[in-house]
Amino acid sequence: MSWAQAVLLARSLSRGWGGICSTALTGAPFSQYHSSQQCQILNPLMEARVRTHILMDTSQVPLQAAHGLHCSTAMHTFDSSLVPHPPKPPRRPIKALALHEELFRKAPDGTREKASFVQAIQDFAQYNVHKRGHVDFIYLALRKMREYGVERDLAVYNLLLDIFPKEVFRPRSIFQTIFYHYPRQQECGIAVLEQMENHGVMPNKETEFLLIQIFGRKSYPMLKYVRMKLWFTRFRNINPFPLPRDLPQDPVDLARLALRHMEPDLSARVTVYQMSLPEDSKDAVDPTEPHIVGIQSPDQQAALACHDPARPIFVEGPFSLWLRDKCVYYHILRADLLPPEERKVEEIPEEWSLYYPMQLDLAYERSGWDDYKFNINEVEEGPVFAICMAGAHDQATLAKWIQGLQETNPALARIPVVFRLAGSAGELLASSSGPEGSSPPPSEGQEEEDDNQQRQQQGQS
Amino acid sequence: MNCCGLFLRSAAAARSCRALVAFAESRRLLRTSQPSRAFAKELFLGRIEKKEVFPFPEVSQDELNEINQFVGPVEKFFTEEVDSQKIDREGKIPNETLEKLKSLGLFGMQVPEEYGGLGLSSTMYARLCEIISLDSSIAVTLAAHQAIGLKGIIMTGSEEQKAKYLPKLASGEHMAAFCLTEPASGSDAASIRTRATLSEDKKHYVLNGSKVWITNGGLASVFTVFAKTEVVDSDGSVKDKITAFIVERDFGGVTSGKPEDKLGIRGSNTCEVHFENTRVPVENVLGEVGGGFKVAMNILNSGRFSMGSTVAGMLKKLIEMTAEYACTRKQFNRTLSEFGLIQEKFALMAQKAYVMESMAYLTAGMLDQPGFPDCSIEAAIVKVFSSEGAWQCVSEALQILGGSGYMKDYPYERFLRDSRILLIFEGTNEILRMYIALTGLQHAGRALTARVKELKRGNVTTVMETVGRRLRDSLGRTVDLGLTGKLGAVHPSVADGAHKLEENVYYFGRTVEMLLLRFGKTIVEEQLILKRVANVLINLYGMTAVLSRATRSIRMGLRNHDHEVLLTNIFCTEAYHQNLFTLSQLDKCSPENLDEQIKKVSQQVLEKRAYICAHPLDRMS
């Protein structure tokens, strides 16, 4: 974003804020807490820029700002806000934790769902009329939300916010506003909002009403709320390749989704070449009969049919693909790019169109100014003929895929197929905290370079 | 134009004198160009071949008398005996109607007299089509029979073939059909699947395959069929080439499917035709073996010009019907005819009818000239203009008629249904636009080869010449291609239109040159540009036709020629401004040129194969 735009944006935003918070914005946090960390703010323009910067990453800066003054244990690391899983809750005194932990533990017969979570919150309110230790409880509840599967439930978040005592933390004077009234509580409020943000939960009017009741208009949680309202909608559809919110659990369905996700051609057909045996018979993935799902478009089929049998084609992989927090692996069937001298120029037959000439008999070509052929983004690669996802990444499994492909591509029988399988690609999965990445391909002993490659491929795909 | 901008700066010093030289040269060039037969092609070079289009072609008094003898009874028959509504409802032309048509000789209008036909010239054929158009199902049936069905025999048949088939076809004893379209092959000749293989004794071809949407397919007994045959090339290799055959139903193995249920022209018979091991004697090959492509192209190209007069005839009838309604129906104590918006529609219909009639008869006149003039571009222009005019005018007519235009009890909605096919058959208008533009560009490209090459090489004289001409153009030159003035080809009453035509033609020539410079032979891929080029050319041809016809009418003092002057001026002015706009769209950097955005939108839609905008009621929270 350009400089001037940033300034304008900052101006208009702060104006939109209604001027009420402006004191809080411009004055207190930055001149006081920030000047020590960042360079001196020299003029109003610079200041505005700094402010925009803060507007851009909505989640972190207020917290960082808070950081300088209050060494509360609520440490929000940089990572926690980048990776979409719940922020690491602070290390609280163990006693307090143990205290409220019981509320969650006593959920009957271990069923963990919304009802029992709500019950726990209500229990807390009953058990503790004075709301003693409510901040600790909220942090604890935030951590527990995922276990109960309520991390995307707006009503639960509102319920959590409702635990805060009302009117107590509202600043009554301008000085209280400037000096970060009740920092621990505000921070806790922000943590709730941040977790909502990380799970893509849009706050509603009720949230706003609660925040005003609890912290007042001129507070950091309120600021966070406004920013969420502003930016959330604009970023929600930023991904041109959207994924469903809940990914299918079945690996075959997941593979289907992933293949469709990669293949731009809508006429491409997904084929399940082999189903894994039902789960109850053995462990999740049967080593002898893993699933094999492939995709191929009609164009790819035609290209494969025209392929010169003298040139081998390759099965390559596994390459990784991230679908939300799941990592899946795929293989491709590809050939090398033909050397330029062997490429056939597609000839236009003389008698083709009955109605109009398909080519002009002229000696001159397109002039340079209208030649858009050259494009640095178009790097020629060899043709890809098919993609597959399999439960196992060994040659035997992939050979089955090739066999399956031969049914629809008879030409494949004549073409030599070379398997170029990377030793492993497990490292990405290890770093992911997803409950199950489809099936971790084998293991250790890979080098850093592999790692980098994998990452790049992931980026491309 | 932008490249000239670059030259402009570099040549600032020399421009004034160069410009004068260039101007003089270009004028001389225009004056001394060789006479040629192709009017539309020369327009691409910015020239008007006056000899071709001025004066408007005429028929002799004898011919006129002769044609009027035909016209009278045919018109009487169509107005009194043909029940179009019944034909449309039942989806069949009654046998007695067909018999009457045969007895009137309408099945052999263009068949030479020695074979028992009427031997009409193109002009007279167009005149009769005007009347036949009163029932579109009959018009289509007859057109499929003689404009394409038996045309192959007339054009390329041997003497024996003509003698064997034409008499019976001309009398209507046999009906002909043209079998080209296949399930996998519309305009793509390479994907024709029907195959003819030479039998062992080399006396027969065995024909196998199926053809779809064959007009008269169920009624015809003689088919012109196009099929792939193996042909040994000059270098000894065996190739699949298309060959045309005359196939009789009696050869065996010919079956036709059930008649298709169509939107319009419901009385015409359209069905599938299957050939199964049909044995066709070698002597029934039409033209050369392997020469079927040319045969098909020539037949298709020759059949188009008559659509102009056909549609004009229909529009005249429609104007009568709607005018009757508009002058009798009262609203707010005023007849509809008193309302401006209704009047405008009548002006539009009259103008379109006038233009397409002029175009059709001008083209027919050109075709009737001795030799075999190549008027395929002109014919395609007539087809595109008249079919689109028909759709537009019928739609406007229905607008005048209001609700009654929509009801099946009235005849009007049938006109709408029937006219929709005009945009589609005999080559869709899109494909014909490609044909118009590319054929002309090929001609212009050849003529300009030397100049373009020198420009690309950077020959100083040529560059200066071009720059000078550009400069002269941008300073607003008055274009004079010699249409007006003393003893000019155009009458002074319509001189204004002639000036507009001249200006358009001149700048069209410049634009074509620029396009060829920019794209060279890859212009084939630029369909949006080709469409615009074709649109300009259609307008230019229309302007020429009306100017020529109006001039003739004024000079002869025909009835209501002042009305023609009005129509001519309206059309010329409208077309002139349309052309200016289109020409500016052809400029690469002009704000009117939205090609890039249009392409992007369609690309995004087609990638998703759906309309991709969010619903207006969608919310984000």
Side-chain angles (χ1 to χ4, degrees), chain A residues 287-298:
Chain A
T288 56
E289 290 266 293
H291 66 271
I292 305 172
V293 186
I295 193 165
Q296 196 181 32
S297 68

Side-chain angles (χ1 to χ4, degrees), chain B residues 59-73 124:
Chain B
V59 293
S60 64
Q61 190 61 48
D62 293 346
E63 273 181 304
L64 193 65
N65 291 343
E66 192 191 334
I67 194 73
N68 281 341
Q69 280 175 6
F70 283 119
V71 168
M124 301 215 277

Side-chain angles (χ1 to χ4, degrees), chain B residues 2 13 52 93 107 115 128 136 139 166-167 210 220 229 270 304 333 345 395 426 454 487 508 511 515 522 548 577 581:
Chain B
N2 48 357
E52 290 298 305
I93 303 169
F107 274 70
Y115 300 112
L128 272 185
S136 42
L166 285 183
S210 31
T229 47
T270 307
R304 289 188 191 116
N333 286 335
K345 293 182 200 306
S395 168
E426 297 203 30
E454 288 200 345
L487 299 176
F508 179 59
T511 308
L515 288 174
T522 60
S548 174
H577 289 291
F581 182 69

Side-chain angles (χ1 to χ4, degrees), chain A residues 226-429:
Chain A
V226 173
R227 286 172 178 167
M228 277 169 82
K229 270 288 199 194
L230 177 68
W231 291 109
F232 238 60
T233 55
R234 301 185 188 193
F235 286 133
R236 182 176 290 175
N237 287 323
I238 205 94
N239 185 0
F241 308 105
L243 276 169
R245 208 182 70 174
D246 299 308
L247 293 173
Q249 294 300 313
D250 180 31
V252 175
D253 290 343
L254 187 67
R256 231 182 229 141
L257 178 82
L259 290 170
R260 279 265 171 243
H261 199 62
M262 284 190 285
E263 176 62 59
D265 190 347
L266 292 179
S267 344
R269 255 210 351 259
V270 176
T271 318
V272 180
Y273 294 102
Q274 182 171 297
M275 292 288 274
S276 54
L277 292 178
E279 289 202 12
D280 48 347
S281 66
K282 281 183 197 168
D283 289 337
V285 176
D286 179 16
T288 56
E289 290 266 293
H291 66 271
I292 305 172
V293 186
I295 193 165
Q296 196 181 32
S297 68
D299 287 349
Q300 289 174 326
Q301 231 168 51
L304 187 54
C306 301
H307 186 79
D308 173 18
R311 297 182 162 274
I313 53 177
F314 308 101
V315 175
E316 288 183 1
F319 304 112
S320 57
L321 171 76
W322 282 92
L323 302 169
R324 294 202 180 275
D325 53 354
K326 283 186 189 174
C327 182
V328 290
Y329 294 87
Y330 63 94
H331 293 78
I332 57 172
L333 183 67
R334 62 169 284 256
D336 281 334
L337 197 62
L338 277 178
E341 64 272 13
E342 284 184 37
R343 268 179 239 174
K344 268 182 266 170
V345 184
E346 204 180 297
E347 258 182 44
I348 296 177
E350 215 172 282
E351 298 181 344
W352 201 358
S353 169
L354 281 161
Y355 291 95
Y356 69 103
M358 302 283 277
Q359 55 187 347
L360 291 187
D361 175 26
L362 295 179
Y364 35 98
E365 284 289 339
R366 185 177 284 250
S367 75
W369 287 325
D370 286 284
D371 200 350
Y372 307 116
K373 279 277 171 53
F374 179 74
N375 185 349
I376 50 167
N377 293 324
E378 269 179 28
V379 183
E380 276 192 286
E381 297 177 288
V384 172
F385 299 121
I387 313 176
C388 94
M389 282 191 178
H393 306 287
D394 53 278
Q395 187 167 336
T397 313
L398 293 168
K400 279 186 193 163
W401 170 47
I402 298 298
Q403 271 175 9
L405 269 179
Q406 277 180 10
E407 280 173 25
T408 44
N409 301 278
L412 198 55
R414 298 192 307 274
I415 308 171
V417 180
V418 178
F419 288 86
R420 292 205 292 214
L421 304 179
S424 69
E427 76 286 350
L428 277 174
L429 197 74

